[in-house]
């Protein structure tokens, strides 16, 4: 994933997203791997997953 791709996505915002599905999914996978949970059921948005106690 190129930093320019992310910058272009941010500049356009949600309504102007023109990146291909593969790029959007790649960004989502990276964010999910870092603990971001995408909410799609009655609570739109994102939140950080709780870390398991060590």
């Amino acid at each position: 994933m190129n930093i320019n791709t992310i910058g272009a996505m941010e500049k356009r915002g949600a309504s102007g997203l023109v990146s291909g599905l593969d790029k959007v999914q790649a960004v989502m996978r990276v964010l999910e791997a870092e603990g971001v949970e995408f909410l799609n059921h009655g609570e739109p948005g994102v939140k950080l997953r709780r870390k398991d106690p060590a």
Side-chain angles (χ1 to χ4, degrees), residues 16-45:
L17 189 60
V18 295
S19 295
L21 181 58
D22 59 329
K23 288 187 174 118
V24 173
Q25 289 176 330
V27 170
M28 289 177 69
R29 282 192 300 271
V30 170
L31 293 172
E32 288 171 337
E34 293 300 319
V36 174
E37 181 179 345
F38 290 88
L39 307 173
N40 294 316
H41 42 79
E43 194 180 342

Side-chain angles (χ1 to χ4, degrees), residues 6-19:
I6 301 298
M9 292 168 83
E10 289 175 336
K11 285 179 188 174
R12 286 189 198 102
S15 62
L17 189 60
V18 295
S19 295

